[in-house]
């Protein structure tokens, strides 16, 4: 016998959320979403009130990335909905499964320029994987199930469901039956395994190029196994960091604009790239025509549209990386190549013997990385501190390094850390931020206070928009236009206003004890680290330049 | 004077007759660097399938657009009706 019960649209929403295992949502109430918030009052779903809808969207992204599940955020119509857009765009660029629910003015008022009315359905087209507007209560249950299925199907992404207020209030009988699956319309070509094996066995200088798709395909174990058994030297994109075992002696670190010298030189010299869950992003390739000029390409991806998009593949293997990569595992005779790259790794190792008493940001982040517990989740904002974190911190899983890769969104780090901490309450979560970025979503310190979320914030403070300042110095004749932030607030006082323990350090002799104090503290903590404003991120591949022509100093 | 070779294609797109499916196709086509030279859309009310024919031109390979349109959830299929027409566009 089919079970059924009658619910309002708002109540139905939370029933469906719970069917999909959703325990936590992030949001902000308002007029056109009040029936949903009224239903929340009776729901077992835990809601976290963020202090801006953008914070709610980024917390949902952080939650999804840290836990490997779908993140959910709620907002009202009009400005509430538009404030979600940056977070949705970020989720689209980084392929993060998020379901965003927006309230809408009643259907009778739609299209009349009503108070707090905006066409969020139309606005969502360019910043979501898919979107719905539900004008019939009888469609709501099916649409909500489809939203979750689409967010997780194939290449993950954000889905928006816009629900007018009268639909939230309307009553409907919940079917409680299984949803019908979406058609699998993409007929994947046969995997070109034999061609790929031929390329692999003839390669003398192969490189495994690891992207963010590895973690999302839940294929970390398979990629590590492939790297170990083949002995193939590897490089990672920003989002691929953590996929390769940190102890793998053939790993060369991050490639690209701020990649390691060893990684970039190795890729340029390679004769074969085995690309797993990566997309030849412009920040990775530098000048595309000169990227790995002598390399054949084996490209594994779940998304057909990424094959041959920026670099032609000699063998394309579409589909599930977890199942496909083991088919290519074979022993390789590349001892000379391995030895050469190990020597490069040694020759070009990072140095932390920075002169003087001032704090050297890479050394701070290395110290945090060395002292933080295993399975710590680190988020970053965007800028110099982000690149220093990628270069000098070590991560034991991709879900332990959450950074805005594709969109490069300042303001990501703090709310993402909140979401990560809520999804993983027993793990340490550290937000590495900059003095520019943290002000983008500084209101989320109130969310930390409200729920006593024990996020640790390492604030790298150079009183500048440091990355823009670096580019102005290097490429715009030192014309420092609007990058001075010397009038920043007192960050220790600011944290104190939110009942967050905090400390300012200015000398390198203070670093280790301060990091230990931060990590030992049970609750939230903000460590403000003053660094020299003139420090640059090195190496740097200038724009439209081949990756082997990197700058290493001024 | 710059010379830009545009390839011209005719696409036939089958789609579910859903809200904003045309807007989605238009948005993707523009964003991916294709000019729309003409368009026609008809719905079979029997099976609620829309057939959209669209003439586009671009310097870029049509496979890039086909792959992106195919990713749209409401699209059932995309094919190129002709792929051998070239037009030359000159700009100063």
């Amino acid at each position: 016998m089919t079970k059924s019960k009658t619910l309002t649209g708002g109540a139905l929403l939370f029933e469906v959320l719970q069917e999909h295992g959703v325990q936590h949502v992030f949001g902000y109430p308002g007029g056109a979403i009040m029936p949903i918030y009224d239903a929340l009052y009776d729901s077992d779903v835990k809601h976290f009130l963020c202090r801006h809808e953008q914070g709610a969207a980024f917390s949902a992204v952080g939650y999804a990335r840290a836990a490997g599940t779908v993140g959910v955020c709620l907002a009202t119509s009009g400005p509430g909905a538009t404030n979600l857009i940056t977070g949705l765009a970020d989720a689209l660029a980084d392929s993060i499964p998020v379901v965003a629910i927006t309230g809408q003015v009643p259907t009778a008022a739609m299209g009349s320029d009503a108070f707090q009315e905006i066409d969020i359905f139309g606005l969502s087209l360019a910043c979501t994987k898919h979107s719905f507007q539900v004008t019939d209560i009888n469609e709501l249950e099916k649409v909500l199930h489809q939203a979750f299925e689409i967010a997780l199907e194939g290449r993950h992404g954000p889905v928006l469901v816009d629900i007018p207020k009268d639909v939230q209030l309307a009553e409907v009988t919940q079917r409680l039956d299984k949803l019908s699956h979406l058609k699998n319309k993409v007929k994947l070509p046969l995997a070109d395994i034999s061609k790929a094996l031929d390329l692999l066995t003839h390669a003398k200088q192969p490189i495994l190029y690891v992207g963010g798709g590895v973690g999302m395909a839940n294929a970390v174990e398979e990629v590590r196994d492939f790297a170990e058994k083949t002995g193939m030297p590897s490089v990672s994109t920003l989002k691929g960091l953590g996929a390769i075992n940190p102890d793998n002696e053939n790993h060369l670190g991050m490639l690209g604009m701020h990649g390691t010298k060893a990684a970039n030189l190795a890729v340029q010299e390679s004769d074969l790239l085995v690309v797993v869950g990566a997309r030849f992003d412009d920040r990775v390739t530098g000048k595309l025509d000169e990227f790995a000029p002598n390399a054949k390409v084996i490209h594994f991806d779940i998304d057909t549209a990424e094959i041959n998009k920026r670099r032609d593949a000699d063998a394309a293997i579409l589909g599930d990386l977890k199942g496909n990569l083991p088919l290519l595992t074979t022993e390789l005779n590349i001892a000379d190549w391995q030895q050469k790259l190990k020597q490069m790794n040694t020759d070009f190792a990072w140095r932390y013997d920075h002169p003087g008493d001032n704090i050297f940001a890479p050394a701070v982040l290395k110290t945090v990385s060395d002292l933080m517990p295993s399975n710590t989740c680190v988020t970053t904002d965007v800028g110099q501190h982000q690149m220093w974190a990628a270069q000098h911190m070590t991560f034991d899983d991709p879900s332990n390094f959450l950074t805005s890769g594709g969109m490069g969104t300042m303001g990501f780090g703090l709310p993402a850390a909140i979401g990560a901490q809520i999804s993983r309450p027993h793990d340490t979560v550290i937000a590495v931020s900059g003095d520019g970025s943290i002000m983008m979503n500084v209101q989320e310190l109130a969310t930390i206070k409200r729920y006593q979320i024990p996020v640790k914030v390492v604030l790298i403070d150079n009183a500048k928009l440091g990355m823009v300042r670096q580019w102005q110095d290097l490429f715009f004749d030192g014309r420092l236009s609007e990058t001075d932030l010397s009038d920043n607030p007192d960050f220790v006082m600011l944290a104190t206003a939110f009942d967050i323990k905090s400390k300012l350090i200015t000398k390198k002799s203070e670093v280790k004890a301060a990091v230990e104090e931060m990590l030992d503290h049970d609750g939230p903590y903000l460590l403000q680290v003053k660094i020299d404003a003139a420090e640059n991120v090195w190496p740097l591949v200038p724009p439209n330049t081949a990756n082997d022509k990197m700058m290493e100093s001024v | 004077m710059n010379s830009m070779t545009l390839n011209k294609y005719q696409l036939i797109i089958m789609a579910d007759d859903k809200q904003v499916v045309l807007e989605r196709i238009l948005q993707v086509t523009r964003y991916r660097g294709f000019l729309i030279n003409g368009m026609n859309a008809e719905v079979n009310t029997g099976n609620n399938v829309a057939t959209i024919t669209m003439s586009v031109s671009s310097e870029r390979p049509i496979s890039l657009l086909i792959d992106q349109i195919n990713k749209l959830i409401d699209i059932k299929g995309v094919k190129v009706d002709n792929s051998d027409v070239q037009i030359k566009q000159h700009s100063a």
Side-chain angles (χ1 to χ4, degrees):
Chain A
M1 191 173 79
T2 303
K3 292 185 288 186
S4 64
K5 57 182 175 179
T6 301
L7 298 166
T8 64
L12 177 62
L13 167 67
F14 291 104
E15 290 286 326
V16 176
L17 292 184
Q18 288 187 282
E19 281 184 46
H20 287 273
V22 175
Q23 296 177 297
H24 306 115
V25 298
F26 304 88
Y28 204 103
I33 199 169
M34 287 185 70
I36 285 176
Y37 272 82
D38 186 63
L40 170 70
Y41 198 79
D42 296 322
S43 170
D44 292 331
V45 173
K46 170 76 173 166
H47 177 272
F48 288 87
L49 177 70
C50 301
R51 293 309 178 93
H52 190 291
E53 291 87 354
Q54 188 182 111
F58 283 136
S59 288
V61 170
Y63 188 96
R65 293 179 68 163
T69 186
V70 178
V72 178
C73 54
L74 313 176
T76 192
S77 63
T82 56
N83 281 343
L84 290 180
I85 282 179
T86 301
L88 296 175
D90 193 274
L92 183 67
D94 283 345
S95 309
I96 309 303
V98 166
V99 170
I101 306 293
T102 49
Q104 182 55 275
V105 301
T107 49
M110 285 166 56
S112 70
D113 305 315
F115 175 66
Q116 290 191 332
E117 184 191 7
I118 192 75
D119 178 19
I120 191 64
F121 190 31
L123 287 171
S124 71
L125 299 185
C127 64
T128 60
K129 182 178 177 185
H130 194 63
S131 48
F132 297 93
Q133 187 171 64
V134 185
T135 52
D136 179 353
I137 183 65
N138 296 304
E139 293 291 311
L140 182 60
E141 185 177 1
K142 182 181 75 176
V143 163
L144 290 169
H145 284 305
Q146 285 183 339
F148 278 85
E149 189 176 355
I150 291 167
L152 286 170
E153 175 262 341
R155 183 174 178 171
H156 299 171
V159 179
L160 180 136
V161 183
D162 191 39
I163 311 175
K165 194 171 184 178
D166 54 314
V167 176
Q168 300 169 38
L169 286 165
E171 291 197 338
V172 68
T173 300
Q174 186 185 13
R175 291 198 303 271
L176 294 173
D177 53 1
K178 293 286 181 191
L179 67 156
S180 59
H181 288 279
L182 296 169
K183 60 184 183 293
N184 184 11
K185 67 183 177 189
V186 180
K187 289 189 171 59
L188 299 179
L190 290 175
D192 207 350
I193 296 292
S194 60
K195 187 171 182 187
L197 273 171
D198 186 56
L199 290 170
L200 193 58
T201 51
H202 286 90
K204 293 186 168 47
Q205 301 188 156
I207 290 285
L208 179 62
Y209 162 16
V210 179
V214 171
M216 273 173 271
N218 195 24
V220 171
E221 187 181 334
E222 286 74 15
V223 168
R224 288 182 179 185
D225 190 59
F226 178 83
E228 292 292 338
K229 286 181 177 165
T230 61
M232 191 181 295
S234 56
V235 298
S236 294
T237 68
L238 181 65
K239 277 187 65 208
L241 291 171
I244 295 292
N245 188 328
D247 298 329
N248 184 316
E249 60 183 1
N250 293 310
H251 186 52
L252 303 167
M254 184 170 73
L255 81 162
M257 181 175 276
H258 291 293
T260 68
K261 188 172 182 179
N264 280 333
L265 293 182
V267 168
Q268 290 303 93
E269 291 183 29
S270 67
D271 62 2
L272 176 68
L273 292 176
V274 179
V275 186
V276 287
R279 59 185 178 92
F280 297 93
D281 173 74
D282 59 280
R283 284 296 194 266
V284 159
T285 63
K287 191 173 185 181
L288 185 60
D289 293 345
E290 296 178 21
F291 178 70
N294 302 312
K296 302 280 189 184
V297 171
I298 301 172
H299 196 169
F300 289 83
D301 211 288
I302 191 74
D303 183 355
T304 314
E306 290 301 341
I307 304 296
N308 301 329
K309 187 177 87 173
R310 282 180 46 83
R311 172 76 177 248
D312 286 346
D314 297 281
I317 303 176
L318 286 159
D320 183 15
L321 180 64
K322 195 176 178 66
N324 285 336
L325 187 60
L327 301 175
L328 220 61
T329 305
T330 184
E331 285 190 25
L332 302 175
N333 182 20
I334 54 171
D336 290 348
W337 176 237
Q338 288 173 324
Q339 192 52 45
K340 177 179 180 176
L341 298 189
K342 280 181 194 167
Q343 190 60 50
M344 278 168 53
N345 241 352
T346 303
D347 292 346
F348 305 135
W350 300 116
R351 293 184 59 167
Y352 300 99
D353 52 345
H354 191 259
D357 294 332
N358 288 343
I359 296 176
F360 183 46
V364 174
L365 296 172
K366 174 77 164 56
T367 301
V368 173
S369 185
D370 289 345
L371 295 176
M372 68 191 189
S374 64
N375 218 31
T376 292
C377 181
V378 174
T379 73
T380 77
D381 270 298
V382 171
Q384 288 182 310
H385 70 275
Q386 178 192 31
M387 292 297 106
W388 283 322
Q391 291 174 332
H392 302 285
M393 300 184 80
T394 302
F395 310 102
D396 43 23
D397 192 86
S399 64
N400 288 338
F401 183 52
L402 314 184
T403 192
S404 176
M407 192 56 54
T409 316
M410 292 172 70
F412 173 89
L414 187 64
I418 290 170
Q421 186 74 80
I422 289 163
S423 74
R424 288 166 42 180
H426 303 299
D427 289 329
T428 300
V429 175
I430 300 172
V432 177
S433 189
D435 56 296
S437 284
I438 198 163
M439 294 299 288
M440 287 268 192
N441 269 316
V442 74
Q443 79 287 342
E444 296 310 316
L445 293 175
T447 310
I448 288 176
K449 177 189 176 186
R450 184 183 184 93
Y451 301 102
Q452 281 301 292
I453 299 167
V455 165
K456 319 301 182 199
V457 180
V458 177
L459 178 57
I460 305 295
D461 176 13
N462 54 13
K464 291 279 185 291
L465 291 174
M467 188 61 91
V468 184
R469 190 277 308 154
Q470 177 172 340
W471 278 54
Q472 287 173 340
D473 270 334
L474 295 175
F475 308 122
F476 290 85
D477 299 326
R479 291 154 57 87
L480 304 183
S481 178
E482 299 295 330
T483 47
D484 178 76
L485 299 180
S486 55
D487 54 355
N488 272 327
D490 180 328
F491 287 111
V492 169
M493 188 181 291
L494 183 66
T496 303
F498 291 98
D499 291 341
I500 295 170
K501 187 173 170 62
S502 57
K503 172 175 273 192
L504 165 67
I505 57 173
T506 59
K507 302 290 181 198
K508 66 168 62 166
S509 58
E510 301 172 285
V511 168
K512 186 165 183 288
V515 171
E516 287 173 338
E517 179 181 315
M518 176 188 76
L519 292 172
D520 288 343
H521 183 65
D522 280 340
Y525 194 107
L526 186 145
L527 178 62
Q528 181 186 359
V529 182
K530 283 296 275 186
I531 65 164
D532 186 340
E535 286 292 343
N536 289 329
V537 180
W538 303 118
L540 164 65
V541 178
N544 201 32
T545 303
N547 279 352
D548 54 356
K549 297 182 177 66
M550 65 198 78
M551 298 172 68
E552 296 180 81
S553 65
V554 283
Chain B
M1 185 160 67
N2 294 324
S3 175
M4 187 168 60
T5 302
L6 294 179
N7 294 310
K8 191 173 181 182
Y9 307 93
Q10 175 112 338
L11 293 181
I12 301 175
I13 303 165
M14 307 292 282
D16 290 329
D17 180 25
K18 294 279 182 66
Q19 278 180 310
V20 300
V21 69
L22 281 179
E23 286 179 62
R24 291 187 201 282
I25 293 167
L26 294 171
Q27 188 269 330
V28 166
T29 303
R30 174 187 54 77
Y31 174 62
R32 296 294 173 180
F34 287 77
L35 295 171
I36 297 173
N37 307 118
M39 193 172 194
N40 182 65
E42 291 178 4
V43 177
N44 180 332
T45 53
N47 58 10
N48 290 323
V49 171
T51 302
I52 300 142
T53 55
M54 187 166 69
S55 300
V56 297
S57 52
S58 178
E59 296 175 280
R60 300 180 179 182
I62 192 65
S63 59
L64 296 181
L65 181 61
I66 290 173
D67 286 343
Q68 295 296 340
I69 291 177
N70 242 328
K71 281 168 66 172
L72 296 174
I73 301 298
D74 297 329
I75 300 300
K76 301 175 86 69
V78 186
K79 67 177 183 180
V80 184
D81 195 35
N82 68 316
S83 57
D84 54 356
V85 182
Q86 281 201 344
I87 59 175
K88 272 271 202 193
Q89 180 173 311
H90 296 281
S91 57

